[in-house]
């Protein structure tokens, strides 16, 4: 079946601009996660949705970052007033919930490479 | 102390050898542990998950968990050049028995398998 998809694959923007990154999870997965990965580092947690609500947003670095999942499927990560330090690969993952044996196994999309000039 | 620590490597092994990758974690209450493989320029791919003390085998991969020592490892038998990648250890730090929260990753170990 189809995996997690993310669009765009690459985004180049100028400092101060607004960007939106989209994630379409695996069909039927109710949990959705956003991570950010810088070169040479492991992914860093940003926010986790269970259904439509943000169950844990403790990883969002500041109030310029916001994410929504209005219908419990597709999610959008929004970054206002982008800064050069926001440049990274933004990864989305989804996970089934409620299935026996699925202890939070998360499956990643291909990522969006964001470059802020 | 980092929550999840891995040797960054690089780890270099000859083709056919056993590669051993190690990871330690700080939260004694952690319950779920994962190994991801990440090829250069690609996203992480889940290769193993382990929840109970002991060994779990899947093909050429064996995950080992020791909760008392807060240690998890990944063994790759009969290593192939195609196994060359960064291996990421991930821990569900705030897990209870059925927690579905965030993963905390180590910085990854670069593995090179040379012919």
């Amino acid at each position: 079946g189809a995996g997690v998809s993310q669009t765009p694959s690459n985004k180049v923007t100028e400092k101060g601009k607004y960007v939106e990154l989209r994630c379409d999870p695996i069909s039927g997965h109710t949990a959705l996660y956003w991570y950010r990965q810088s070169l040479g580092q492991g992914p860093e947690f940003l926010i986790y949705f269970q259904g439509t609500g943000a169950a844990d947003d403790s990883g969002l670095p500041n109030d310029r970052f916001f994410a929504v999942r209005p219908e419990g499927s597709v999610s959008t990560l929004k970054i206002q007033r982008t800064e050069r330090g926001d440049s990274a690969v933004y990864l989305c993952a989804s996970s089934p919930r409620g299935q026996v044996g699925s202890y939070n196994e998360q499956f990643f999309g291909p990522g969006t490479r964001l470059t802020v000039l | 102390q980092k929550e999840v620590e891995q040797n960054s490597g690089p780890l270099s092994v000859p083709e056919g050898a056993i590669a051993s990758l190690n990871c330690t974690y700080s939260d004694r209450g952690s319950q779920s542990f994962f190994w991801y493989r990440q090829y250069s320029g690609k996203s992480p791919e889940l290769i193993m998950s382990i929840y109970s003390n002991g060994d779990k085998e899947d093909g050429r991969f064996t995950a080992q968990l020791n909760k008392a020592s807060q240690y998890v490892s990944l063994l790759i038998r009969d290593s192939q050049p195609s196994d060359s990648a960064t291996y990421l250890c991930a821990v569900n730090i705030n897990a209870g028995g059925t927690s579905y929260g965030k993963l905390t990753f180590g910085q990854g170990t670069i593995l090179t398998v040379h012919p």
Side-chain angles (χ1 to χ4, degrees):
Chain A
V4 178
S5 62
Q6 292 187 246
T7 55
S9 55
N10 280 283
K11 176 71 177 178
V12 180
T13 191
E14 294 180 343
K15 180 175 179 295
K17 298 291 187 181
Y18 168 84
V19 297
E20 289 190 353
L21 312 178
R22 176 189 167 107
C23 172
D24 198 343
I26 293 171
S27 178
H29 282 195
T30 58
L32 184 147
Y33 309 80
W34 283 99
Y35 295 84
R36 176 168 73 172
Q37 187 174 26
S38 300
L39 193 63
Q41 302 296 317
E44 175 188 25
F45 171 78
L46 295 176
I47 186 169
Y48 152 50
F49 287 90
Q50 184 56 47
T52 60
D56 184 352
D57 65 358
S58 62
L60 294 177
N62 52 59
D63 61 6
R64 296 187 297 106
F65 289 75
F66 188 71
V68 295
R69 195 186 184 199
E71 298 179 356
S73 178
V74 170
S75 175
T76 305
L77 178 66
K78 308 179 180 191
I79 310 174
Q80 298 177 318
R81 304 183 304 279
T82 51
E83 299 178 356
R84 292 193 180 90
D86 299 334
S87 296
V89 176
Y90 288 79
L91 295 164
C92 176
S94 71
S95 176
R97 180 183 170 98
Q99 295 182 14
V100 174
S102 62
Y103 278 63
N104 195 33
E105 291 184 337
Q106 298 182 22
F107 301 92
F108 283 85
T112 294
R113 182 175 298 278
L114 175 66
T115 303
V116 182
L117 301 177
Chain B
Q1 181 189 7
K2 292 182 180 178
E3 292 180 291
V4 179
E5 292 203 61
Q6 296 179 252
N7 291 327
S8 59
L11 174 65
S12 182
V13 300
E15 185 174 356
I18 296 175
S20 178
L21 303 157
N22 305 314
C23 173
T24 58
Y25 59 95
S26 61
D27 190 310
R28 191 171 289 277
S30 299
Q31 297 288 331
S32 306
F33 308 86
F34 307 90
W35 284 98
Y36 287 83
R37 178 176 62 197
Q38 187 171 28
Y39 291 115
S40 180
K42 301 295 185 183
S43 63
E45 173 193 9
L46 179 66
I47 54 173
M48 289 289 283
S49 57
I50 187 166
Y51 315 110
S52 304
N53 277 328
D55 294 0
K56 179 182 178 183
E57 185 174 320
D58 184 0
R60 294 186 296 112
F61 298 99
T62 299
Q64 299 175 316
L65 175 61
N66 184 326
K67 291 184 179 179
S69 300
Q70 295 174 235
Y71 175 90
V72 58
S73 65
L74 179 70
L75 300 178
I76 307 174
R77 291 182 300 281
D78 189 23
S79 295
Q80 301 297 310
S82 59
D83 294 326
S84 298
T86 297
Y87 288 81
L88 295 161
C89 173
V91 180
N92 199 178
I93 291 285
N94 294 321
T98 56
S99 175
Y100 295 91
K102 66 184 182 183
L103 294 180
T104 300
F105 285 82
Q107 73 270 36
T109 298
I110 299 170
L111 173 66
T112 301
V113 181
H114 53 86

